[in-house]
Amino acid sequence: MPGQEQQRPSRREDEVEDAAAVPAQAKATETDADVDALLDEIDEVLESNSEEFVRGFVQKGGQ
Amino acid sequence: MTVRRVVGLETEYGISVPGDPGANPMLLSAQVVNAYATATTGGRSRPRWDYEDEAPLRDARGFEVERARAHPSQLTDAPGRAAGEGRRAAPNASDVVSAETEDPTMANVILTNGARFYVDHAHPEYSSPEVLTPRDAVTWDRAGELILLESLRRVAATPGLTPVTIYKNNTDGKGASYGTHENYLMNRSTPFGDVVRHLTPFFVSRQVFAGAGRVGLGQDSREAGFQISQRADFFEVEVGLETTMKRPIINTRDEPHATVEKYRRLHVIVGDATMCEVATLLKVGTTSLVLAMLESGWLEDSPAGRLLLSEPVRALHEVSHDPSLRHLVRLRDGRRLSAVQLQWAYLEAARAYVADRYGDDVDADTAEVLTRWEQVLTRLETDVFSAAREVDWVAKLRLLEGYRSRDGLDWDNARLAAVDLQWSDVRPEKGLYLKLAERDQVERLVPEAAVRHAVDHPPTDTRAYFRGECLARYGPRVAAASWDSVIFDVAGRGALQRVPTLEPLRGTREHVGALLDRCETAEELVAALTG
C-alpha cells in the first residue's frame, strides 16, 4: 500500500491471545470478507503517514 | 416529564493544521467561526453575545466563588479573556459592539437555528439550541457537525486562510482534553445532594453505551491499549465547579440561563462526543429519565437508589479501561456489580417509573429510549460487537481489532491511533464513522434532510424558536442575544431593547409564531412586545 510507513509483521500468536482480553466474538456479527472489504476502504482514506499525523495532532486548552 | 426535557449539547471540536502542530489554535478557531459567519450573514455586522445573565462562578451547593480566586478559564461571562472585566449592567450599543472587536479571537456567532458558535479557549465550540426530545438533541447535534464541515470548507476556499482539519472528539492523546457538555434543566427544588448521590453511579456506568472509544490509557496515553471513554481518564474528583482542571464527575456550575427560582441547569461534563446517533439518543434520553426519577423522588424506594459506589473516580477509570465489560465496581454496601448491571438497575427503575406514571399512555420518545436502552444492554451483555451499529466505542474497536488481526499490530502502533482520530473527522471523504455510515454499517435515526434543515432552522418547541427566527427575520436589527435574551437596536428608540427569554418553554412557534408572522420589521415586533 503506497505511503504506509510501517511493515506488516506476520501475525503473532501472543497478540491473538492479547486480543482475547476483549470479547472474542468480533467475527460473530460479520463474515471475514465483510470486515476485510471495510478495512480496505478505510485503508484508502487513512492518513498515509500515521506516525506524523498522530504526532502532529496537538490540542491546547479545553474544558 | 419523562424523556421530554429542555436540553442542549455543547461540543468543543478538535482542530488541527496538518504538518503544523504549533499553529495558534485560538486564531484558527476564530478563522473557522468567522468563515462560517461571513458566509451566512454576508459580512454585515453580527449580533453580539449578551453576557448579562452569565454566572459561571455560582455553585449549586449554595455559594459563589470569589472572582479573584477563580481560574481565568472559569470566567466565561467576560467578553475577552481578561480576568478583571466585570459584568455589564444595562447594555448600550457601543458597549455591545466594542465588546468583541478588541480581540480577534473572540469570534462568537448566534445562528438562525438558535445555536451559539464561538471560540471557547482554543476550540471552535458549537452549543446547540435548546431542544425537548432526545431525537431533537441528535438532530441539532448532528447539524453542528455539518456546520463545522461547512466552516472547514469555507476556510479552505478562502485565499490567505490556513486550511484546517476538524474532529468531534475529546482528547489529543497527549494530555489535553476538551469537553462535550450536556445541559439539562431540572427543578430547582430537587436537593443537589440527591443529584450527586444518584447520578454518580449512573454516569460511571453510562459510558458502556455512551463512550466514544479511545486508543491509549492514561491522560497522556502513557500505556498502550484501548478504553471505552475518551474523557474518563481526565476526571479526578467527585464533585466540583471546575471544568478545565480537577474535573469532577458531577459539575456544580449553577447557571440556569432561565428563571433561577424555578430551574437548575445540570451541567454534565463527564460525557464523550458521540458520532453514533443511537449513542447520542441514549446518552440524553437515559439521563433525562434518571432526572425525572430524581425529581419525583422515585429512586428513593428503588433498588437503583441504593447503588452507591465506594470509589467513584476510580470506578469511572476502571470501567473505561475494561472493554470486556467484566470489571466489577465496589459498592458501599459491599456488593460488586458490573457497569452493565448498574445500568440494568436504572433501566428497571425507569420502566417501573414510566409504567406507574403513564401506564400505556407513554409518549413515543420515552418508549423509544426504554426499548433501545434495553436492546443495547442486552447486546453488550451477550456479544459486545453486536452493538457495533449503535455504540461508538464498539464500532471503533471492531475496526481496530480488524486491523490488529489482519496486520498483526500492537496497540502502540500509530495506525491504530490514527484510526481513533480519524473516526471523528467531520469530512465525509475522510471521517471513518462517516464512511461506516455511508456503508450502512451504523444505524441512523434522523433523515439527512432533517439534519440539513436544522443547520438553519431552530426547534419549534422551545425559546430557541424565538431567538433563531428573530435572527433570521430581523438579523440586522438584533444587536445581541443569549440563551435568555434577544436585544434589538431599532429606529426611534435611544436605548437598546432587551427582550428577556427566561422561560425556555415560551417563545415557541405556538406561542410567538403568529406574532412574528404579523411583524414585518423589528420595529413592529418591539412595539408589539412593549405594548
Side-chain angles (χ1 to χ4, degrees):
Chain A
M1 215 180 334
Q4 291 289 358
E5 77 287 6
Q6 67 276 69
Q7 296 172 340
R8 291 181 183 167
S10 58
R11 195 178 298 192
R12 286 174 15 212
E13 284 309 310
D14 56 347
E15 280 180 21
V16 176
E17 283 302 308
D18 285 347
V22 168
Q25 309 95 325
K27 292 176 188 65
T29 50
E30 271 194 305
T31 66
D32 289 349
D34 283 339
V35 174
D36 284 348
L38 182 64
L39 294 178
D40 287 345
E41 189 186 336
I42 302 301
D43 278 335
E44 285 165 25
V45 298
L46 202 59
E47 292 297 338
S48 55
N49 189 335
S50 301
E51 198 115 16
E52 195 191 322
F53 169 64
V54 170
R55 201 178 328 115
F57 187 82
V58 177
Q59 302 290 301
K60 298 181 185 73
Q63 305 207 352
Chain B
M1 66 175 168
T2 64
V3 296
R4 290 175 66 81
R5 176 175 298 272
V6 178
V7 180
L9 300 182
E10 326 162 18
T11 306
E12 292 175 52
Y13 282 79
I15 180 167
S16 181
V17 176
D20 185 7
N24 182 325
M26 277 177 281
L27 288 174
L28 294 174
S29 301
Q31 182 185 282
V32 164
V33 173
N34 284 326
Y36 187 80
T38 305
T40 51
T41 61
R44 64 173 157 68
S45 76
R46 307 190 309 243
R48 308 294 167 177
W49 190 254
D50 169 24
Y51 292 91
E52 166 137 354
D53 286 330
E54 310 249 322
L57 301 179
R58 197 175 298 150
D59 195 294
R61 291 164 292 186
F63 54 87
E64 182 143 350
V65 171
E66 260 181 78
R67 264 192 115 68
R69 288 176 181 275
H71 187 272
S73 69
Q74 289 180 270
L75 303 179
T76 53
D77 55 342
R81 286 173 313 287
E85 201 156 357
R87 292 170 59 194
R88 33 202 87 231
N92 60 49
S94 64
D95 236 7
V96 174
V97 172
S98 69
E100 290 160 64
T101 47
E102 299 155 2
D103 183 346
T105 64
M106 283 309 294
N108 197 343
V109 242
I110 307 144
L111 307 179
T112 55
N113 74 353
R116 182 187 186 192
F117 184 33
Y118 68 120
V119 181
D120 188 67
H121 301 284
H123 303 273
E125 172 164 333
Y126 169 82
S127 293
S128 83
E130 306 88 331
V131 296
L132 270 191
T133 66
R135 266 186 180 261
D136 280 354
V138 172
T139 305
W140 271 271
D141 180 60
R142 284 225 42 230
E145 295 169 20
L146 296 189
I147 286 165
L148 269 296
L149 173 63
E150 177 63 16
S151 306
L152 176 157
R153 302 272 197 238
R154 293 279 168 183
V155 168
T158 308
L161 295 186
T162 314
V164 296
T165 53
I166 291 176
Y167 305 83
K168 193 187 180 194
N169 72 347
N170 299 103
T171 180
D172 64 0
K174 300 171 186 68
S177 180
Y178 29 103
T180 297
H181 302 173
E182 302 144 63
N183 299 288
Y184 302 88
L185 276 197
M186 60 181 300
N187 290 346
R188 165 78 45 190
S189 58
T190 305
F192 196 72
D194 291 354
V195 174
V196 174
R197 188 152 51 99
H198 295 303
L199 279 179
T200 302
F202 177 72
F203 286 155
V204 163
S205 52
R206 184 183 74 159
Q207 52 181 316
V208 298
F209 54 76
R214 175 180 166 199
V215 172
L217 308 179
Q219 293 187 1
D220 57 0
S221 306
R222 64 184 53 197
E223 234 183 290
F226 179 86
Q227 61 175 312
I228 289 174
S229 163
Q230 290 255 317
R231 283 279 271 177
D233 282 350
F234 295 91
F235 284 75
E236 297 172 346
V237 299
E238 292 176 30
V239 183
L241 183 61
E242 277 131 341
T243 56
T244 55
M245 60 200 134
K246 288 185 289 178
R247 291 187 183 89
I249 296 172
I250 303 290
N251 184 250
T252 55
R253 180 182 295 185
D254 188 2
E255 191 184 26
H257 300 305
T259 309
V260 174
E261 299 74 27
K262 189 170 166 192
Y263 297 109
R264 179 193 299 293
R265 174 178 63 137
L266 183 74
H267 188 226
V268 177
I269 70 169
V270 75
D272 289 356
T274 40
M275 304 291 293
C276 287
E277 295 183 10
V278 176
T280 307
L281 178 98
L282 282 173
K283 177 170 76 173
V284 172
T286 61
T287 307
S288 294
L289 273 171
V290 173
L291 290 175
M293 292 193 284
L294 251 169
E295 287 173 334
S296 69
W298 182 263
L299 286 172
E300 296 308 316
D301 303 317
S302 149
R306 295 192 289 276
L307 301 172
L308 307 177
L309 302 180
S310 59
E311 288 180 279
V313 175
R314 185 171 163 185
L316 180 75
H317 299 168
E318 287 174 348
V319 167
S320 183
H321 291 190
D322 176 37
S324 78
L325 301 178
R326 286 183 294 226
H327 177 73
L328 303 178
V329 299
R330 192 186 299 275
L331 272 52
R332 281 193 221 157
D333 61 14
R335 283 182 293 162
R336 292 170 67 90
L337 294 175
S338 73
V340 175
Q341 286 170 325
L342 289 172
Q343 283 295 315
W344 275 117
Y346 284 101
L347 169 59
E348 279 157 19
R351 279 209 177 287
Y353 169 74
V354 171
D356 180 76
R357 299 298 156 100
Y358 304 96
D360 293 335
D361 202 20
V362 60
D363 62 283
D365 289 300
T366 303
E368 176 177 36
V369 168
L370 287 171
T371 303
R372 289 187 177 276
W373 195 358
E374 178 170 344
Q375 280 170 351
V376 81
L377 293 181
T378 303
R379 290 195 177 122
L380 291 171
E381 210 167 49
T382 51
D383 169 5
V384 170
F385 284 97
S386 67
R389 291 180 59 78
E390 293 137 313
V391 175
D392 286 74
W393 75 264
V394 177
K396 191 186 278 183
L397 180 58
R398 193 182 61 152
L399 276 189
L400 292 164
E401 288 295 0
Y403 269 104
R404 277 163 46 73
S405 82
R406 185 189 71 179
D407 298 350
L409 304 178
D410 286 328
W411 275 114
D412 60 1
N413 189 288
R415 253 168 76 211
L416 303 182
V419 168
D420 188 2
L421 288 176
Q422 249 179 284
W423 175 261
S424 62
D425 190 320
V426 300
R427 295 169 297 173
E429 69 276 15
K430 280 291 187 183
L432 301 186
Y433 165 82
L434 293 171
K435 281 284 164 201
L436 290 194
E438 190 183 82
R439 291 174 58 105
D440 192 31
Q441 296 276 312
V442 289
E443 187 173 355
R444 309 298 283 263
L445 297 175
V446 181
E448 212 49 33
V451 177
R452 282 198 300 274
H453 184 80
V455 166
D456 298 311
H457 297 89
T460 57
D461 52 5
T462 70
R463 64 183 172 190
Y465 179 78
F466 180 72
R467 182 187 315 122
E469 288 295 324
C470 281
L471 285 160
R473 296 168 192 239
Y474 322 113
R477 297 265 72 92
V478 179
S482 70
W483 304 118
D484 50 22
S485 70
V486 178
I487 299 179
F488 293 93
D489 183 5
V490 291
R493 307 229 179 194
L496 294 179
Q497 303 294 309
R498 188 175 196 274
V499 180
T501 54
L502 285 163
E503 175 46 66
L505 297 176
R506 292 169 65 88
T508 62
R509 183 166 66 194
E510 190 182 2
H511 180 220
V512 297
L515 172 71
L516 295 177
D517 288 344
R518 209 162 56 231
C519 297
E520 292 267 322
T521 66
E523 283 73 14
E524 288 171 43
L525 178 68
V526 168
L529 288 171
T530 54

